[in-house]
Amino acid sequence: MTSPLQDLLDGNRRWSAARHAEDPHFFEYLAKQQSPKYLWIGCSDSRVPATQIVDLPPGEIFVQRNVANVVAHSDLNCLSTIQFAVDILKVEHIIIVGHYGCGGIQAVLDERRLGLVDNWLRHVGDVAEKHSSMLATLDVMALRNARLCELNAIEQVTNTCRTTMVMDAWERGQKLSVHAWCYSLDNGHMNDLNMHVDSRAALQPAYENALQRLMRLPAAQQR
Ligand code: CO
């Protein structure tokens, strides 16, 4: 009896054969170790796969994804991923990757009831409330979505920097930077939100600079 997922299993064999044809040592090398330099914290959205959209092969990025790329202070899943990435893998960069047109962000803006996930999205609701005056200046919904996607990525960088793992890494002199990006589904371009934090002291100025930059630029111009 064939599996109901036979298409995927066939695809897997084709993919494996193609990688092996390109480089006969590909799997042998990968199986021995992973030493990614990057931790990607992104949205679960199927259109934003980590390695593919920055044109890297398997083995290069450690990945955490959840609805609306949230770093919640009590989420053991995300915190454990950060701890493993920072303490064991010693990644040098943590990248928070939001994306324009995010359904989770839109649900917050529409105040739509989706179910259990509404509780998770309260974290994004808090971001929207914190920046309600900036969001109120945008009268077009698509622009408000874009702006909240950007603000959320910036706020999640702050949350990441405030975790004990990141603070401790900086305390012991480990090289580690945290960044905010926002990806456009429309053209496949990544927008660097210019928030790069590489020390505890750098967090507040980087946060303020990133916010001021957003206030100067209409959301549409950044896409
Ligand atoms: Co999303």
Side-chain angles (χ1 to χ4, degrees):
M1 187 183 146
T2 57
S3 162
L5 301 176
Q6 199 54 46
D7 288 356
L8 299 189
L9 295 169
D10 291 345
N12 163 257
R13 289 295 188 275
R14 278 196 309 276
W15 176 82
S16 164
R19 296 293 78 72
H20 189 265
E22 273 172 18
D23 175 4
H25 301 293
F26 180 80
F27 290 108
E28 189 189 325
Y29 171 77
L30 268 186
K32 273 190 201 137
Q33 59 160 10
Q34 65 162 342
S35 52
K37 280 211 255 333
Y38 314 97
L39 166 60
W40 174 289
I41 301 178
C43 183
S44 298
D45 193 301
S46 61
R47 299 164 293 182
V48 196
T51 44
Q52 252 172 304
I53 60 178
V54 287
D55 203 19
L56 283 176
E60 301 293 329
I61 306 186
F62 201 62
V63 176
Q64 165 77 24
R65 289 169 71 182
N66 60 46
V67 174
N69 45 275
V70 167
V71 178
H73 296 305
S74 56
D75 174 14
L76 274 180
N77 184 345
C78 185
L79 295 178
S80 300
T81 303
I82 294 173
Q83 193 257 320
F84 190 83
V86 170
D87 291 354
I88 313 298
L89 296 174
K90 301 212 168 5
V91 299
E92 292 174 18
H93 302 275
I94 301 176
I95 314 164
I96 310 296
V97 187
H99 69 101
Y100 298 110
C102 181
I105 300 276
Q106 192 59 42
V108 169
L109 289 170
D110 294 343
E111 296 179 22
R112 237 173 54 231
R113 287 296 301 271
L114 299 173
L116 174 69
V117 73
D118 299 338
N119 299 284
W120 179 251
L121 289 172
R122 263 321 305 167
H123 295 295
V124 180
D126 291 344
V127 174
E129 262 168 41
K130 184 173 179 183
H131 299 285
S132 57
S133 54
M134 199 200 294
L135 290 169
T137 62
L138 303 162
D139 48 3
V140 178
M141 182 51 95
L143 297 185
R144 272 213 295 283
N145 178 297
R147 181 51 43 90
L148 185 52
C149 289
E150 295 165 338
L151 289 168
N152 183 51
I154 286 169
E155 290 294 341
Q156 303 313 325
V157 165
T158 301
N159 288 351
T160 304
C161 292
R162 287 180 173 152
T163 61
T164 53
M165 294 75 74
V166 172
M167 291 285 200
D168 289 351
W170 284 333
E171 192 72 29
R172 63 181 176 255
Q174 190 173 327
K175 188 178 158 196
L176 179 65
S177 309
V178 188
H179 315 268
W181 285 356
C182 215
Y183 174 76
S184 171
L185 298 172
D186 294 338
N187 60 13
H189 286 184
M190 195 65 83
N191 186 13
D192 183 352
L193 297 176
N194 283 300
M195 185 170 183
H196 310 283
V197 188
D198 60 3
S199 71
R200 189 174 182 153
L203 173 58
Q204 197 56 28
Y207 175 78
E208 282 163 20
N209 282 342
L211 282 187
Q212 273 163 19
R213 181 175 166 273
L214 281 192
M215 276 188 259
R216 282 198 305 271
L217 292 171
Q221 286 183 13
Q222 297 185 40
R223 298 184 65 185

